[in-house]
Amino acid sequence: MTRLLGKKEMSQVTPFDFIYALVLGGILEEGIYDEKVSIWQILFAICLWGISVYIIEICAQKSNRMKKLLKGHPSLIIRNGELDIKQMKKNHLEIEQVRTMLRKQGVFTLREVRDLYLEPGGDISVKLHSKAGSITPDMFDLNPRDEAPSILVIEEGKIKEEELRSVIKIKRMASGRASEEEL
C-alpha cells in the first residue's frame, strides 16, 4: 500500500522502513491494551519481529533484486532538462509539487535543472546545468567578510526591545565607540 501511495508521501524512510514501524506499533499496542498478553509474550513478539527484520535486511544487501523491491530506487524525473511525464505519473507527482521541492533546494526555475532524481525516501537530488551554477567569490580570488546573521527587531508591528538593544550594542562595539563593559 505504501508503494502505491508513491514516494512523495515518505519523508526520510523507505516504504519498507515505514512498514517496520507500523508492525512494531501494532505489537506494542496489542501488548499495552490487552490484559491477556504478558510481558514475555510482548518481548517474544518483538524479538521475533527484530530477527525477521534483520534477516530481510541481510537478504536485501545480498540481492540487488530484493534490495530494489524492498528499498526502492531513485526515479529520474528530469533528464537532460526534459521533464519525464511517465515518471511523474508513476510517482504520483504534479508539476507544482516538483516546483515546490526545487524551491526548497534553492532552485526557482525549471530551466536551471539538468537532472532531478526523486529518491526512495521522497527527497530530491538536483544537478543544475553548468551555466546555471552560482558564481562564488573564490572564482575571482575575492575574500568577502562574513556577515552576521540578521536580527528581527520588529515583529508584527511591535519593537522587540531586547533584540534592539543587542543590535545597538553590536554596532557600538564594531565602531569602537564603547567597550563591552560600558554596555
Side-chain angles (χ1 to χ4, degrees):
M1 187 60 171
T2 304
R3 293 295 283 175
L4 292 176
L5 289 174
K7 297 174 189 173
K8 69 179 181 355
E9 299 295 324
M10 300 294 116
S11 178
Q12 291 294 320
V13 296
T14 64
F16 210 69
D17 295 334
F18 183 64
I19 292 169
Y20 293 160
L22 288 178
V23 170
L24 178 61
I27 291 170
L28 294 175
E29 180 272 331
E30 188 68 29
I32 291 172
Y33 295 111
D34 190 347
E35 295 175 7
K36 297 176 188 172
V37 177
S38 72
I39 187 73
W40 298 112
Q41 290 171 320
I42 296 171
L43 290 175
F44 177 75
I46 290 174
C47 287
L48 187 62
W49 170 81
I51 290 168
S52 300
V53 169
Y54 181 75
I55 291 170
I56 291 169
E57 290 289 335
I58 294 298
C59 291
Q61 287 177 357
K62 295 191 183 283
S63 167
N64 283 337
R65 199 168 155 195
M66 178 81 95
K67 183 178 190 176
K68 187 176 178 180
L69 175 70
L70 296 177
K71 300 292 184 178
H73 58 90
S75 298
L76 192 55
I77 304 297
I78 299 176
R79 178 191 319 257
N80 294 326
E82 297 290 324
L83 204 56
D84 188 338
I85 302 300
K86 287 181 185 177
Q87 284 296 320
M88 287 183 60
K89 286 182 181 179
K90 180 181 173 187
N91 288 286
H92 308 283
L93 283 175
E94 297 171 6
I95 190 68
E96 192 54 39
Q97 290 172 308
V98 172
R99 292 181 66 228
T100 299
M101 290 188 284
L102 283 169
R103 284 192 300 269
K104 288 180 180 180
Q105 296 283 328
V107 179
F108 292 90
T109 175
L110 287 171
R111 284 178 288 209
E112 295 178 36
V113 179
R114 183 183 185 284
D115 299 311
L116 181 137
Y117 292 89
L118 179 63
E119 302 296 346
D123 52 341
I124 61 169
S125 300
V126 180
K127 176 161 179 38
L128 301 177
H129 289 288
S130 57
K131 301 184 269 191
S134 300
I135 297 174
T136 64
D138 291 336
M139 293 176 179
F140 296 104
D141 291 325
L142 299 175
N143 295 317
R145 292 187 301 166
D146 284 333
E147 293 183 14
S150 61
I151 299 173
L152 183 64
V153 293
I154 300 175
E155 184 175 27
E156 295 181 9
K158 296 180 181 171
I159 295 175
K160 297 171 81 177
E161 296 290 335
E162 189 174 324
E163 284 78 2
L164 183 58
R165 278 192 290 269
S166 175
V167 170
I168 292 169
K169 180 178 172 180
I170 292 169
K171 292 283 186 186
R172 284 185 182 165
M173 286 178 59
S175 67
R177 290 189 296 196
S179 67
E180 189 171 343
E181 293 82 28
E182 292 174 337
L183 298 171

